[in-house]
Amino acid sequence: MSPHSSQLPLKHMICFLLVVFICSFVFAYQYIEKSNYCLGASNNVPPPFTTSYLVENSGYGNDIIQKLADYAILNEKVSDETENFKKSYHGTGNRFWKAANFDGCCLPNTIIIGAKKAGTRALINFLDMHPEVAVARNEVHFFDREENYSLGLKWYAKRVKPKQGAKALIEKSPFYFIDKETPEKVVAYNSSIRLILLVRDPVNRILSDQTQLYYNSGKTTPNLVQKLYPDNRSDIDQTAKILQPSLYAKYLRRWITVFPRTQIHIVDGDKLTQANPYYEMKLLEKFLRLSSFYSPEKFVVEKTKGFYCPVQPNGTLKCLSSSKGRQHLEFDQKLLNQLKLFFAPLNKDFARLVGQDFSWS
């Protein structure tokens, strides 16, 4: 017998174990890559309110209970849309850009996803104060516009202005919130990314949106009644474009289908802009794991504008342009009452979904 023959089975065993180890590692990596955004947090999505729940818990008188129950049908449709979105989600295929494959600086690791006219410009202005935050100055629209997405991660990385010592690299694009394909693209890009959603009174958000569209269009945009009640219909058109960003529960359900709730921070836009922003910014500072920086005296009301502006190191105020915080157009009170009634059950649904009370819910 050869003196080396006894070593041959040992070599085979080592090779076999090595192959098993490599295969197990690859399998485990692929599994975690697909599911890591579910670890450590619940992805259970509370269902929309049912008609029976509204009747029992709405808190309104019997004279409008039936009206609220009618609007509950919208939530049932939302639930169907969420299920369809889940079925269309195909994981993180190679057709999407992935931050892990990018070698360079400076890809965003935090995104303000919306909502439109909820205070996103004010928020990015306040965040830019922090020495550990670098921001994209303008709306990027990387994930929701194919002409930008096709340019790749090098283009995306150049949108953020570099800042030495920055821990949070932030971009904002409010249309992300309601865009159907964006959640899937973002989770493929970085399943650990931090997301920020601003919300405000949904009726006031619509009024602010309509006011901006009115001035930006040279006062030619159709009025709010025409948009919400096309063709003289008797009830609000639930598909109206101007309505969508205010349907907070509907679109948040899409996001928490692919992201854990713990990765999405909700900012109360009314508190951010109508009270001292310090309180909301302190919560956000903790969410972003930044060093303590914000204090009440860093925000001062600008007398002519009537809203809070950040105080710069030289003591001057860095306020937004005159188009921000402008007075709303005048709207018929009957229309406002109809909108409030429409949103009553939806607001309760959203408050329950996020586990947070709002002055308008």
Side-chain angles (χ1 to χ4, degrees), residues 179-284:
D179 183 61
K180 184 176 182 180
E181 296 182 358
T182 293
E184 187 177 6
K185 289 180 178 178
V186 173
V187 78
Y189 163 73
N190 181 359
S191 62
S192 298
I193 200 162
R194 289 163 294 193
L195 305 171
I196 301 171
L197 173 66
L198 279 84
V199 294
R200 63 184 291 196
D201 183 319
V203 175
N204 287 338
R205 194 219 63 80
I206 290 174
L207 304 185
S208 180
D209 200 352
Q210 175 65 12
T211 299
Q212 183 182 56
L213 292 170
Y214 175 78
Y215 287 111
N216 287 353
S217 68
K219 304 181 180 181
T220 62
T221 188
N223 64 46
L224 196 51
V225 173
Q226 292 171 321
K227 292 178 180 179
L228 295 175
Y229 297 90
D231 303 320
N232 295 318
R233 58 185 295 164
S234 59
D235 57 339
I236 291 177
D237 180 10
Q238 299 170 4
T239 66
K241 185 177 180 180
I242 199 168
L243 193 71
Q244 300 312 302
S246 287
L247 301 178
Y248 302 139
K250 170 183 178 178
Y251 291 102
L252 183 59
R253 279 190 165 87
R254 287 183 176 177
W255 285 91
I256 58 180
T257 296
V258 293
F259 283 102
R261 173 68 179 84
T262 51
Q263 278 178 231
I264 306 175
H265 181 77
I266 309 296
V267 175
D268 188 329
D270 288 328
K271 290 182 179 179
L272 182 75
T273 57
Q274 296 175 14
N276 192 319
Y278 160 75
Y279 301 101
E280 286 296 316
M281 296 308 297
K282 207 64 183 174
L283 295 173
L284 191 52

Side-chain angles (χ1 to χ4, degrees), residues 254-323:
R254 287 183 176 177
W255 285 91
I256 58 180
T257 296
V258 293
F259 283 102
R261 173 68 179 84
T262 51
Q263 278 178 231
I264 306 175
H265 181 77
I266 309 296
V267 175
D268 188 329
D270 288 328
K271 290 182 179 179
L272 182 75
T273 57
Q274 296 175 14
N276 192 319
Y278 160 75
Y279 301 101
E280 286 296 316
M281 296 308 297
K282 207 64 183 174
L283 295 173
L284 191 52
E285 189 178 63
K286 182 177 180 180
F287 172 71
L288 296 175
R289 301 171 188 172
L290 303 173
S291 301
S292 180
F293 170 78
Y294 295 108
S295 59
E297 59 271 16
K298 292 187 182 294
F299 303 94
V300 174
V301 175
E302 208 285 328
K303 294 181 180 179
T304 59
K305 294 180 178 293
F307 53 78
Y308 282 89
C309 300
V311 181
Q312 299 187 97
N314 62 5
T316 61
L317 300 183
K318 184 182 179 183
C319 296
L320 299 178
S321 66
S322 58
S323 65

Side-chain angles (χ1 to χ4, degrees), residues 2 40 58 76 83 99 105 115 132 145 173 186 198 218 232 236 272 275 305 360:
S2 168
S58 67
E76 294 166 6
E83 289 303 317
C105 179
E132 296 175 353
R145 293 182 182 174
S173 298
V186 173
L198 279 84
N232 295 318
I236 291 177
L272 182 75
K305 294 180 178 293
W360 36 266

Side-chain angles (χ1 to χ4, degrees), residues 25-221:
F25 177 80
V26 171
F27 175 80
Y29 176 81
Q30 291 178 339
Y31 177 81
I32 293 173
E33 174 69 14
K34 291 181 179 180
S35 62
N36 63 351
Y37 50 87
C38 297
L39 301 179
S42 173
N43 248 9
N44 294 330
V45 181
F49 284 128
T50 61
T51 300
S52 60
Y53 184 95
L54 283 170
V55 172
E56 295 172 5
N57 300 282
S58 67
Y60 293 96
N62 292 331
D63 55 331
I64 62 170
I65 285 294
Q66 187 55 52
K67 191 66 174 178
L68 291 176
D70 291 340
Y71 283 135
I73 296 174
L74 172 63
N75 274 318
E76 294 166 6
K77 292 181 179 179
V78 168
S79 181
D80 292 339
E81 288 188 16
T82 302
E83 289 303 317
N84 291 335
F85 176 71
K86 288 180 181 179
K87 292 176 183 178
S88 68
Y89 175 70
H90 300 298
T92 54
N94 292 329
R95 67 186 190 278
F96 297 136
W97 296 112
K98 292 187 177 184
N101 297 334
F102 181 74
D103 182 19
C105 179
C106 301
L107 286 177
N109 58 19
T110 305
I111 301 177
I112 301 173
I113 58 175
K116 181 184 180 185
K117 301 306 296 178
T120 58
R121 171 46 61 186
L123 179 60
I124 207 77
N125 197 33
F126 299 152
L127 282 167
D128 193 34
M129 299 168 61
H130 202 292
E132 296 175 353
V133 171
V135 302
R137 298 296 179 184
N138 301 311
E139 294 180 6
V140 176
H141 292 286
F142 179 64
F143 295 102
D144 64 321
R145 293 182 182 174
E146 187 56 37
E147 63 269 26
N148 292 339
Y149 194 71
S150 63
L151 297 175
L153 296 181
K154 287 186 178 180
W155 181 89
Y156 189 41
K158 292 179 180 179
R159 301 312 104 189
V160 175
K161 182 180 179 181
K163 180 189 290 186
Q164 187 174 5
K167 295 180 181 178
L169 285 69
I170 306 176
E171 71 114 326
K172 82 171 184 78
S173 298
F175 190 71
Y176 287 168
F177 180 52
I178 65 173
D179 183 61
K180 184 176 182 180
E181 296 182 358
T182 293
E184 187 177 6
K185 289 180 178 178
V186 173
V187 78
Y189 163 73
N190 181 359
S191 62
S192 298
I193 200 162
R194 289 163 294 193
L195 305 171
I196 301 171
L197 173 66
L198 279 84
V199 294
R200 63 184 291 196
D201 183 319
V203 175
N204 287 338
R205 194 219 63 80
I206 290 174
L207 304 185
S208 180
D209 200 352
Q210 175 65 12
T211 299
Q212 183 182 56
L213 292 170
Y214 175 78
Y215 287 111
N216 287 353
S217 68
K219 304 181 180 181
T220 62
T221 188

